[in-house]
Amino acid sequence: MVKVAYITLLGRSPWAVVNTYYKLLTRGGKAERIYVFTEERYKHNLPKVVSAIRAISEAYNLHPKIETEVVPDYGFFVADRKFRELFSKLEREGYRMGLDITSGRKALVAAAIVQIKEFPVSFIVYMGLLDTEFPDRPYMMIPTHLQPIKNFLGDESEGD
């Protein structure tokens, strides 16, 4: 059985993190470990994001280990090192990685993508929001056709 570690990047929008995770679960995705990376300026959102991920996971009878990592604002050098260390550790432990870049800011997204390319990756996803009238709502309260998801590795994408 393939073990999956889910890495998500928290930027301005906690809902983007939570809704993308929820959408992937509705499509059969699951992870044994979840890592939420963010910059210092967004760390105040970590408790509610972790709580939401935990609640959604439990609704699917999943109990992943959830860890967080805060890097300095614009800390792409620190992020680059931390991603490399995490991905190396996960590879040694037999994990494949899934990366959600939906909410991430450029410095974190670039560092994560540059580092993950050397490791066993299952997916790199981005979920769009086609109508800005719905920015701060739960996934199920937004019409699904307004939330297309793209896996940049090409295995699955949805452009409803």
Side-chain angles (χ1 to χ4, degrees):
M1 183 171 102
V2 175
K3 298 188 300 184
V4 176
Y6 181 74
I7 299 96
T8 186
L9 311 177
L10 171 61
R12 279 188 299 239
S13 175
W15 281 111
V17 171
V18 172
N19 287 346
T20 304
Y21 178 68
Y22 187 66
K23 184 163 191 163
L24 291 172
L25 284 181
T26 66
R27 301 173 84 190
K30 63 181 177 178
E32 293 180 17
R33 292 188 187 173
I34 297 174
Y35 298 86
V36 184
F37 275 74
T38 194
E39 291 177 296
E40 187 72 32
R41 64 186 152 176
Y42 300 116
K43 75 178 184 181
H44 65 278
N45 287 320
L46 281 171
K48 64 183 169 184
V49 166
V50 169
S51 179
I53 289 172
R54 185 169 285 119
I56 293 167
S57 297
E58 289 174 0
Y60 280 82
N61 200 29
L62 300 171
H63 305 281
K65 179 179 179 183
I66 303 170
E67 296 183 39
T68 63
E69 185 72 51
V70 178
V71 298
D73 292 342
Y74 309 104
F76 44 88
F77 293 111
V78 172
D80 189 61
R81 179 178 47 79
K82 290 196 177 279
F83 284 125
R84 184 175 52 255
E85 290 169 357
L86 175 62
F87 299 157
S88 295
K89 175 184 161 228
L90 291 170
E91 181 181 40
R92 282 191 309 273
E93 295 175 4
Y95 283 87
R96 290 188 63 79
M97 288 148 258
L99 176 63
D100 166 26
I101 62 172
T102 303
S103 181
R105 305 293 289 162
K106 288 181 190 118
L108 286 184
V109 170
I113 289 174
V114 164
Q115 287 303 321
I116 208 165
K117 67 184 176 70
E118 302 298 324
F119 297 96
V121 184
S122 291
F123 57 85
I124 299 173
V125 295
Y126 178 84
M127 187 167 78
L129 184 59
L130 301 182
D131 188 336
T132 56
E133 191 175 319
F134 300 103
D136 297 324
R137 295 188 187 175
Y139 173 74
M140 295 306 285
M141 291 181 67
I142 304 170
T144 56
H145 70 280
L146 295 178
Q147 300 178 83
I149 194 164
K150 170 70 176 161
N151 178 359
F152 288 97
L153 298 183
D155 290 333
E156 63 183 66
S157 61
E158 180 180 300
D160 295 347

